[in-house]
């Protein structure tokens, strides 16, 4: 295909183009905003690095948030099961009756020892004779009760572990959120250091209007579900980038992919790193409309191939969902869902 080389989107500054499609990615320590403004090219390069760091942190946030959601569901299920199990145990205790209950509470103490420690040996012998008459069915029920109580204790311990992990995930979500917000705030501060004309030029490069849509005439998706996902992604053109969002009014890069395929009845993982393994990987030379294109070695950005060398994606704050050349950044993988 003619677009395998790295392309630079028209209207983009070449020094900034490698990261102008960016926003989901890990919180590398990049240092504070310099007290003295650097030359304009350095300022714009630093803005791009901050956007890339914010993109990595966004995907880390998405992963932690997804884990927290999963744990909340697991904890809720465990609590429901524990409640049902406790109710079952209570019913079993009632059905065993007072004698069988007394036998259970004795903890299976050896009869000779129980007699030795009894305050009233005659009373104990009378009860022992009665206990000997407990039916085999009641003895089985007693074993079942003991087993149920052991299971309940184990389930409670597991639920406590999940609750602790949930709390750790909540803290991780908060940490990644603060990292994203810090990087974006630093980027905005640096942009404000640029002269107004250069800032306006940068802003123009950061937005793609509806008037410059690529020609996709004759392009067809290879399957019905790919066609539905492509149509959904196309309907999101112009929607704002909102980090951590999965639509329908705003998206981050992996959120747009997840939402678009959900409209086709396909459930994708939440993060770009997981989405790259959500189907069969194919060579870039065989890319087709609807394929997911992951960028950078860490797959911290993702877009959807639309045909004629174009992807649609949610780039970064201030840049709405738009088309860009598939070669806008180094491609790490192509996945056919």
């Amino acid at each position: 295909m003619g677009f395998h080389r790295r392309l630079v989107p028209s209207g983009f500054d070449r020094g900034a183009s490698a990261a102008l499609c960016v926003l989901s990615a890990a919180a590398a320590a990049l240092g504070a905003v310099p007290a003295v403004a650097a030359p304009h090219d350095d300022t714009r390069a630093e803005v791009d690095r901050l956007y890339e760091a914010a993109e990595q942190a966004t995907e880390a946030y998405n992963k932690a948030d997804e884990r927290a959601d999963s744990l909340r569901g697991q904890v809720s299920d465990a609590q429901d099961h524990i409640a049902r199990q406790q109710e079952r145990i209570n019913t079993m205790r009632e059905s065993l009756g007072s004698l069988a209950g007394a036998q259970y509470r004795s903890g299976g103490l050896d009869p000779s020892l129980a007699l030795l420690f009894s305050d009233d040996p005659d009373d104990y012998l009378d009860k022992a004779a009665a206990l000997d008459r407990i039916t085999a069915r009641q003895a089985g029920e007693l074993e079942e009760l003991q087993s149920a109580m052991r299971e309940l204790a184990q389930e409670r311990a597991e639920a406590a572990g999940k609750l602790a992990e949930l709390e750790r995930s909540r803290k991780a979500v908060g940490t990644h959120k603060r990292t994203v917000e810090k990087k974006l705030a630093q980027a905005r501060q640096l942009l404000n250091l640029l002269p107004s004309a250069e800032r306006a030029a940068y802003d123009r490069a950061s937005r793609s209007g509806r008037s410059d849509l690529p020609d996709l005439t004759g392009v067809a998706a290879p399957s019905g579900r790919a066609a539905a996902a492509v149509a959904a992604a196309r309907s999101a053109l112009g929607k704002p980038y909102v980090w951590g969002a999965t639509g329908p009014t705003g998206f981050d890069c992996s959120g747009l992919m997840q939402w678009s395929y959900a409209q086709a009845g396909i459930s994708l993982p939440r993060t770009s790193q997981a989405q790259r393994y959500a189907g069969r990987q194919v060579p870039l030379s065989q890319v087709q409309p609807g394929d997911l294109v992951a960028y950078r070695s860490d797959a911290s950005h993702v877009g959807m191939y639309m045909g004629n060398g174009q992807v649609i994606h949610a780039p970064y704050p201030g840049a709405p969902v738009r088309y860009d050349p598939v070669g806008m950044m180094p491609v790490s993988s192509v996945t056919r869902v």
Side-chain angles (χ1 to χ4, degrees), residues 43-255:
T43 300
R44 295 177 66 165
E46 180 66 9
V47 170
D48 291 337
R49 284 194 293 271
L50 288 166
Y51 275 146
E52 184 171 347
E55 185 161 35
Q56 291 164 352
T58 297
E59 288 304 290
Y61 166 87
N62 290 337
K63 183 177 181 179
D65 193 47
E66 183 180 44
R67 179 59 179 160
D69 283 343
S70 173
L71 284 168
R72 276 190 284 269
Q74 292 177 32
V75 167
S76 178
D77 291 345
Q79 289 172 336
D80 288 345
H81 191 268
I82 286 170
R84 290 194 299 271
Q85 185 79 325
Q86 185 64 64
E87 185 177 352
R88 174 173 169 250
I89 286 172
N90 293 341
T91 301
M92 290 167 67
R93 279 175 169 165
E94 292 175 5
S95 70
L96 281 168
S98 59
L99 288 178
Q103 185 190 53
Y104 171 75
R105 285 191 297 275
S106 74
L109 191 63
D110 181 86
S112 60
L113 291 175
L115 178 60
L116 178 65
F117 291 115
S118 175
D119 292 333
D120 187 344
D122 289 336
D123 180 60
Y124 172 79
L125 291 172
D126 289 341
K127 288 182 177 179
L131 287 171
D132 284 341
R133 293 193 293 271
I134 291 178
T135 64
R137 176 174 174 275
Q138 286 176 312
E141 288 176 348
L142 230 137
E143 288 184 10
E144 188 179 357
L145 172 61
Q146 291 173 320
S147 175
M149 293 193 72
R150 284 193 297 270
E151 290 176 9
L152 180 60
Q154 182 178 348
E155 288 173 7
R156 282 181 167 159
E158 291 173 355
K162 289 185 186 299
L163 280 169
E165 187 179 353
L166 175 57
E167 184 58 29
R168 290 193 295 270
S169 286
R170 284 173 175 162
K171 290 180 179 178
V173 168
T175 298
H176 293 309
K177 180 178 180 180
R178 288 190 294 274
T179 299
V180 175
E181 290 172 339
K182 176 182 176 183
K183 301 303 179 187
L184 296 181
Q186 289 177 337
R188 284 192 292 271
Q189 291 172 15
L190 283 174
L191 283 172
N192 289 336
L193 296 176
L194 293 173
S196 57
E198 289 196 28
R199 188 166 63 248
Y202 189 96
D203 289 342
R204 281 196 297 275
S206 299
R207 290 192 296 271
S208 132
R210 295 294 187 110
S211 59
D212 61 351
L213 298 183
D215 180 13
L216 298 177
T217 304
V219 172
S223 68
R225 65 183 182 182
V230 164
R234 191 175 292 146
S235 74
L237 278 170
K239 297 290 179 65
Y241 182 103
V242 179
W243 72 266
T246 57
T249 57
F251 303 89
D252 63 19
C253 70
S254 56

Side-chain angles (χ1 to χ4, degrees), residues 24 59 62 228-264 266 268-272 275 290 292 301-306 311-315 319-323:
S24 292
E59 288 304 290
N62 290 337
V230 164
R234 191 175 292 146
S235 74
L237 278 170
K239 297 290 179 65
Y241 182 103
V242 179
W243 72 266
T246 57
T249 57
F251 303 89
D252 63 19
C253 70
S254 56
L256 175 61
M257 301 301 103
Q258 187 183 53
W259 178 83
S260 297
Y261 264 98
Q263 310 316 299
I266 304 297
L268 290 184
R270 178 63 184 92
T271 66
S272 56
Q275 288 175 1
L292 304 180
H301 190 73
V302 65
M304 183 185 296
Y305 187 70
M306 304 298 279
V311 294
I312 194 169
H313 66 139
V321 175
R322 71 184 188 202
Y323 290 105

Side-chain angles (χ1 to χ4, degrees), residues 283-329:
L284 181 59
S285 60
Q286 298 176 17
V287 65
Q288 295 180 349
D291 289 349
L292 304 180
V293 182
Y295 292 94
R296 305 193 200 96
S297 59
D298 61 354
S300 55
H301 190 73
V302 65
M304 183 185 296
Y305 187 70
M306 304 298 279
N308 289 351
Q310 299 290 314
V311 294
I312 194 169
H313 66 139
Y316 59 92
V321 175
R322 71 184 188 202
Y323 290 105
D324 274 313
V326 69
M328 61 187 173
M329 287 184 285

